[in-house]
Amino acid sequence: MAVKILICLDGCSPEYLAKSSTPNLDSLARGGFKTIGQAVIPSVTNVNNTSIVTASFPESHGITSNYYLDPNTGREFYMESPEYLLAETMFKNAEKKGLRSALLTAKGKLNSLIREGATVAESAEKPPAWLVERLGPPPEMYSVEINHWLFRAAAEVIEVHRPDLIYVTTTDYAMHTLAPDDEKSQWNLGELDRLLGNILNAAGAFEIVVTADLGMNA
């Protein structure tokens, strides 16, 4: 059975790919399809990732921003708890069908929001001991290299846990920090593309979608 792989490159507007060498992504696009889509509004991490894993819009899944202001109490909450979710995640749907699923996020707060139903749910921010033993500790959260560690972890999770479905979502630190034509940005995308090849090799047979959750501008 083919592993279903969904990867979210946080903040990766088309300009980043156009300026970088990404032979694996280019090959996938030639063999499948490539298009420029529109992000949901408000275009922030929690809203977009929830839209992806529930295949629904904010009016249905309930995550309408990164923060929620309770008009009755005046208290503000960061929307990182699944108690705010009104729609079923794809992990929960897979669980109902007897399938194994995995979620890998860069940040722990996103992991806690969308993990419901996942057989395996890990973050680079709070990695499990077995991944640290295999890969070493992850780099600083606010670094370009954190996403490279996450992609290596994804290949390990596929090899060890053999999920039927895996969702890998990065952090947008690199896109917030580097312009598309910056040499380090181009190196970053090239390295992610190389590590994507390792993920696909670990999977063997696969079906894959790679998307951004939102774009960036100057």
Side-chain angles (χ1 to χ4, degrees), residues 1-130:
M1 181 177 177
V3 181
K4 292 175 173 57
I5 303 170
L6 181 53
I7 294 177
C8 175
L9 299 177
D10 196 332
C12 190
S13 58
E15 291 80 8
Y16 283 95
L17 297 177
K19 295 283 187 176
S20 303
S21 175
T22 54
N24 286 313
L25 284 171
D26 294 344
S27 176
L28 292 172
R30 286 193 301 270
F33 78 99
K34 176 182 177 182
T35 188
I36 297 176
Q38 293 183 338
V40 297
I41 299 296
S43 195
V44 292
T45 296
N46 287 7
V47 176
N48 282 293
N49 275 273
T50 305
S51 295
I52 291 170
V53 302
T54 63
S56 62
F57 291 101
E59 64 183 12
S60 300
H61 63 60
I63 306 303
T64 54
S65 183
N66 282 348
Y67 289 89
Y68 167 69
L69 177 66
D70 187 330
N72 296 317
T73 65
R75 293 182 62 195
E76 188 179 67
F77 301 90
Y78 188 81
M79 299 184 81
E80 61 180 351
S81 170
E83 69 181 283
Y84 299 113
L85 268 179
L86 304 179
E88 185 176 83
T89 67
M90 61 184 179
F91 312 114
K92 193 68 177 176
N93 185 265
E95 183 183 51
K96 287 181 176 179
K97 297 177 180 178
L99 302 175
R100 294 175 55 80
S101 64
L103 167 65
L104 283 175
T105 67
K107 294 182 178 179
K109 58 188 179 183
L110 181 59
N111 192 290
S112 64
L113 174 64
I114 62 174
R115 66 184 295 159
E116 187 176 8
T119 312
V120 178
E122 307 292 0
S123 72
E125 187 171 18
K126 300 176 181 178
W130 75 271

Side-chain angles (χ1 to χ4, degrees), residues 144-198:
V144 172
E145 292 79 9
I146 188 68
N147 290 333
H148 304 165
W149 190 95
L150 186 70
F151 270 39
R152 293 187 183 97
E156 294 289 339
V157 167
I158 289 173
E159 185 175 316
V160 172
H161 291 282
R162 310 309 302 179
D164 301 294
L165 164 70
I166 183 169
Y167 180 49
V168 184
T169 178
T170 65
T171 179
D172 58 2
Y173 172 81
M175 284 39 172
H176 274 296
T177 308
L178 305 168
D181 56 359
D182 188 293
E183 286 187 9
K184 190 167 185 179
S185 174
Q186 294 168 357
W187 167 78
N188 173 49
L189 268 296
E191 185 66 5
L192 286 174
D193 186 79
R194 183 186 70 80
L195 293 168
L196 172 62
N198 293 343

